[in-house]
Amino acid sequence: MCQWRSLITAVLLSAAGLASAVESRTENSGQLVLEDVPSIPQSIVDKLNRYQNVRSASFRGWDMDGTGLFVSTRFGEVSQLHKVEGAGGARRQLTFFKEPIGAVATRPEHRQLAFTMDAGGNEYAQIFLLDIDSGKRMMMTDGKSRNGALLWNKQGAALAYQSTRRNGSANDIWLSTFDGDTQKDRLIVKAEDGSWWGPAGFSQSGNQLLVLQYISSTRSLAHLLDLDSGARTLVAGGGEDDSRNFPAGFSQDDRSVYLMSDRGGEFTQLIRKDLASGKEKVITADIPWDISSFVLSKDGRRGAFVANENGLSALYLYDPRNDRYSKVDSLPIGVIGGIEFTPRGDKLALSLNTPKTPTDTFVLALGRRPLSSGDLTRWTYSEVGGLNTGQFVEPQLVRYPTFDIIDGKAREIPAFVYKPREAEGPVPVIISIHGGPEGQYRPVFSSTYQLWLETLGAAVIAPNVRGSAGYGKSYLGMDNGYKREDSVKDIGALLDWIATQPDLDAKRVAVFGGSYGGYMVLATGMHYSNRLKAAVDIVGISNFVTFLTNTKSYRRDLRRVEYGDERDPQMRAFLENISPNNNVEKIRVPLFVVQGQNDPRVPVTEAEQIVEALRENGNEVWYMNALNEGHGYRKKENRDVFTQATALFFATYLLKEGQKKNLALNQP
């Protein structure tokens, strides 16, 4: 303990003596720039090694014969595509790139798949066609535009996708058709209003396409596009009232379409709409949670959908003949990723993540009847660095009161609380704030949280402040526009709640968050610095006006709907007023700023300007910038240094002198 404290003291004294100069160094072959970040003690590197060698294996699609499946996993620096032939089988690597694989779409009736990949995190993903047997690949797109949302038709003869190919900024839909080795591309939907358009489902015949028009987190529309005539028909949404409408696919006979919509209430419900009559049937009216995904088997005999129930996933099997459904109770409690039936419809594959296990791929055997199922089999067993994950802490869901009153009672904010095992006395707290802002923290496996719990002895609290998804459309829209700082007040209310908990130390609290969560970190520092000891801002917004001006053009209008239009003088003045970069004198807490040089969402200038302003104000600032990353770190070597530096940062500013408990960080 004394040895560790001496090291920290020496580091702090050294930093104090060189306050007027920025100490800079690079790591990872010059790709990671660190400014005023102390050298990481070897004891930290050694201790955290196991936590940094956790893998996952996310399901990415079935092979065409349904005997094998594809997963993305990392055996080097970044995730690549692998094939698994059976339960517990070896992962055979199919791609070998320096950049991680993005979206994957297996091509029906062919031994091929399409995937996306960008360069250095710039998010200008290109689409590639991969031959599974030979390993040969070809680029399908122009090498310059941003492409995604891949969707094959039922015959594998056409691929629809979203692309900025037309002018570099509009989120249009394109269609590529194939005749042998000949590929023909055509623009099928022009995005003229700044909204995002993407394909959602082909008809069985392939001449109709369901498309999504995304305007904001609380407003989206579903359309039906005739690919022969180009005629487009509104299927769901529109009008004065905001609603979320997500097209999910056609029925087997093409007479109906499936939608997930909250037009009838707070949550997105599964709806079947008859195209001829326009009549709709709400299928999941008795599930008071968002339906987040829906799939049908190839023969249309059975379906499946996932509900987000208080942050946890529930899987249901569905019978299209009578619209009945049944919950699958054999799954572990966790969060479900992609789901897909085999081509024969006899199995359902899914990704599953729990607080104690990283994402792995599972296969559910199905019975003869659409609502019957058999065993759930684990196909991949991801490595966890030799850690005993059975000892990992599971979170407790709490609801704490915030500032506004609803029907005579304080509104309650949901939060997941992780507390260290065998803690002595009040423990320090790290508040981890999700991004989005229309995101949601869900209790997934996090080696980072477990690292903080075990090595720092700190509790972790992950709140879902107003504006978070998963709690209804009213809650989702509560932070829009001029209500932006109401979500920051929810963090203030959390600080109040922490002060009422005898096992939590309200005098040793840090905040941590990325993207919009990074803004929340900075804003919390603006308003509550006297109640904080440390803050970590990862790719965060420091000024809404400069952010909206400099974020890539293909997403600017989408963000204006959420944050406000900076071109309006009144809104511009409001955004300037609440921006942390204009209030640095109020931020009186040590800050660690983390950025990727190629970030297209929150440009590097957002980090540079807050770091410069804080330094000019005399604040303690650590700064890390990865030159080969974008919106977050995807390369293991960069993530490793970031994790180590964050642990050192929290240890420096959160842990008390003379602390009696065993400090795991200084153990060999």
Side-chain angles (χ1 to χ4, degrees):
M1 183 70 181
C2 294
Q3 178 185 1
W4 172 251
R5 286 300 173 197
S6 296
L7 173 62
I8 290 177
T9 301
V11 168
L12 294 178
L13 288 174
S14 173
L18 296 172
S20 60
V22 174
E23 289 191 345
S24 179
R25 71 178 192 278
T26 64
E27 295 192 14
N28 301 343
S29 302
Q31 294 297 308
L32 189 64
V33 180
L34 301 96
E35 295 180 358
D36 287 342
V37 178
S39 296
I40 312 297
Q42 188 61 41
S43 59
I44 288 185
V45 176
D46 294 341
K47 184 64 182 179
L48 305 191
N49 179 62
R50 290 185 301 162
Y51 292 93
Q52 296 177 329
N53 280 287
V54 173
R55 295 190 178 97
S56 61
S58 299
F59 171 69
R60 307 307 293 269
W62 285 102
D63 198 357
M64 65 170 295
D65 58 9
T67 59
L69 51 77
F70 304 104
V71 300
S72 57
T73 189
R74 179 194 59 77
F75 280 92
E77 282 295 313
V78 296
S79 291
Q80 296 294 308
L81 196 64
H82 294 66
K83 186 176 181 182
V84 181
E85 300 287 355
R91 305 174 203 179
R92 178 168 65 88
Q93 191 164 343
L94 300 178
T95 61
F96 300 84
F97 302 110
K98 293 182 180 179
E99 302 292 345
I101 297 297
V104 176
T106 54
R107 186 179 184 183
E109 311 301 330
H110 296 74
R111 295 192 59 77
Q112 293 179 323
L113 55 82
F115 69 88
T116 64
M117 182 173 62
D118 71 3
N122 65 7
E123 298 189 12
Y124 280 85
Q126 303 305 310
I127 304 175
F128 299 83
L129 188 63
L130 176 72
D131 185 277
I132 296 166
D133 296 322
S134 69
K136 293 181 179 179
R137 68 183 187 279
M138 72 169 190
M139 184 187 294
M140 294 176 53
T141 43
D142 60 6
K144 299 178 293 183
S145 55
R146 183 178 187 267
N147 305 276
L150 313 182
L151 182 70
W152 290 101
N153 69 1
K154 312 297 182 184
Q155 299 76 29
L159 178 72
Y161 53 95
Q162 181 276 324
S163 179
T164 62
R165 177 174 173 176
R166 175 167 58 95
N167 59 14
S169 59
N171 296 290
D172 302 327
I173 304 179
W174 286 68
L175 185 73
S176 293
T177 54
F178 298 85
D179 183 5
D181 294 331
T182 303
Q183 174 187 332
K184 294 183 178 180
D185 306 328
R186 66 184 174 107
L187 176 64
I188 57 175
V189 174
K190 279 187 178 183
E192 303 285 10
D193 57 358
S195 56
W196 185 97
W197 293 75
F202 276 100
S203 63
Q204 306 301 323
S205 62
N207 62 353
Q208 290 183 305
L209 179 68
L210 276 170
V211 298
L212 167 67
Q213 181 188 6
Y214 181 92
I215 300 170
S216 73
S217 61
T218 58
R219 187 176 181 85
S220 55
L221 289 69
H223 303 265
L224 182 63
L225 175 67
D226 187 295
L227 292 173
D228 295 327
S229 67
R232 191 166 69 226
T233 305
L234 181 66
V235 175
E240 295 182 359
D241 295 332
D242 282 356
S243 62
R244 295 174 291 164
N245 301 274
F246 303 106
F250 285 83
S251 62
Q252 181 65 17
D253 58 10
D254 284 347
R255 295 179 179 177
S256 303
V257 295
Y258 290 96
L259 308 161
M260 294 173 287
S261 174
D262 64 9
R263 278 174 291 133
E266 284 290 315
F267 297 94
T268 53
Q269 299 170 322
L270 183 62
I271 296 172
R272 183 209 286 260
K273 179 169 185 173
D274 183 271
L275 292 175
S277 67
K279 292 183 179 179
E280 295 184 348
K281 179 179 181 181
V282 178
I283 297 170
T284 57
D286 60 344
I287 300 179
W289 299 102
D290 281 338
I291 306 303
S292 56
S293 61
F294 171 79
V295 293
L296 280 178
S297 61
K298 183 179 179 180
D299 60 11
R301 290 188 56 250
R302 64 175 90 223
F305 61 87
V306 176
N308 175 357
E309 301 182 354
N310 227 351
L312 296 171
S313 293
L315 176 67
Y316 294 81
L317 297 179
Y318 164 71
D319 188 341
R321 295 173 302 177
N322 52 28
D323 291 326
R324 295 176 57 195
Y325 56 86
S326 176
K327 189 173 183 178
V328 179
D329 294 321
S330 60
L331 269 66
I333 295 175
V335 176
I336 295 173
I339 57 175
E340 184 181 317
F341 290 101
T342 59
R344 292 176 53 190
D346 59 338
K347 299 182 183 70
L348 181 73
L350 54 101
S351 296
L352 181 63
N353 180 300
T354 80
K356 292 189 175 183
T357 58
T359 298
D360 268 309
T361 296
F362 292 75
V363 174
L364 179 68
L366 302 173
R368 296 179 60 185
R369 298 186 303 277
L371 302 185
S372 63
S373 61
D375 294 335
L376 180 72
T377 305
R378 186 171 178 174
W379 274 50
T380 62
Y381 293 82
S382 290
E383 297 80 3
V384 289
L387 295 167
N388 180 7
T389 59
Q391 297 296 311
F392 275 16
V393 174
E394 293 187 89
Q396 174 190 3
L397 176 62
V398 303
R399 293 180 179 273
Y400 65 87
T402 190
F403 66 92
D404 49 347
I405 306 299
I406 307 298
D407 297 328
K409 294 179 60 179
R411 183 187 305 281
E412 292 187 328
I413 304 298
F416 289 91
V417 179
Y418 298 76
K419 294 182 180 180
R421 294 178 293 110
E422 303 174 1
E424 297 180 8
V427 298
V429 179
I430 300 171
I431 299 174
S432 180
I433 309 172
H434 68 70
E438 57 271 49
Q440 179 190 20
Y441 177 76
R442 306 182 71 182
V444 295
F445 181 89
S446 173
S447 59
T448 298
Y449 288 1
Q450 301 296 335
L451 181 155
W452 295 341
L453 290 159
E454 181 66 22
T455 63
L456 298 173
V460 181
I461 303 179
N464 282 313
V465 297
R466 69 190 66 213
S468 301
Y471 304 97
K473 62 184 178 184
S474 296
Y475 194 80
L476 186 62
M478 282 182 180
D479 64 343
N480 288 0
Y482 292 105
K483 298 178 287 185
R484 178 60 46 207
E485 287 196 316
D486 284 356
S487 60
V488 184
K489 293 178 184 177
D490 289 340
I491 300 298
L494 177 55
L495 293 171
D496 294 338
W497 180 83
I498 290 171
T500 68
Q501 306 301 303
D503 54 349
L504 303 179
D505 191 344
K507 295 181 179 179
R508 292 187 292 153
V509 179
V511 285
F512 173 98
S515 192
Y516 176 76
Y519 156 73
M520 290 287 287
V521 164
L522 296 172
T524 303
M526 280 171 50
H527 294 281
Y528 307 107
S529 273
N530 61 329
R531 304 171 73 178
L532 300 175
K533 289 295 185 183
V536 179
D537 157 32
I538 308 160
V539 297
I541 300 167
S542 63
N543 185 299
F544 283 108
V545 173
T546 58
F547 159 71
L548 289 167
T549 301
N550 296 323
T551 193
K552 290 296 183 181
S553 58
Y554 60 78
R555 63 191 311 276
R556 189 171 297 134
D557 286 335
L558 296 169
R559 294 295 81 195
R560 283 170 173 155
V561 177
E562 173 70 33
Y563 297 125
D565 193 333
E566 84 288 359
R567 297 168 298 185
D568 175 77
Q570 184 177 354
M571 176 56 72
R572 187 184 188 94
F574 170 76
L575 293 174
E576 291 280 17
N577 183 61
I578 69 170
S579 290
N581 195 51
N582 294 330
N583 294 275
V584 290
E585 73 282 354
K586 299 178 182 178
I587 302 175
R588 302 178 304 277
V589 60
L591 199 69
F592 183 16
V593 178
V594 182
Q595 183 64 41
Q597 182 71 25
N598 305 321
D599 192 341
R601 304 188 195 187
V602 181
V604 65
T605 49
E606 291 298 301
E608 291 172 341
Q609 64 191 14
I610 192 67
V611 168
E612 180 182 358
L614 287 168
R615 284 174 176 164
E616 289 178 354
N617 198 53
N619 292 58
E620 176 77 12
V621 184
W622 298 11
Y623 181 46
M624 177 181 292
N625 183 20
L627 305 182
N628 57 350
E629 300 276 16
H631 198 64
Y633 290 2
R634 301 183 299 172
K635 295 178 171 61
K636 182 179 183 298
E637 62 176 1
N638 295 330
R639 291 201 309 271
D640 285 354
V641 177
F642 160 69
T643 302
Q644 296 157 8
T646 302
L648 176 60
F649 183 76
F650 284 147
T652 303
Y653 295 107
L654 276 185
L655 301 185
K656 294 190 297 186
E657 294 288 347
Q659 204 168 3
K660 300 299 182 181
K661 72 182 184 67
N662 175 41
L663 182 62
L665 280 174
N666 69 343
Q667 302 299 311

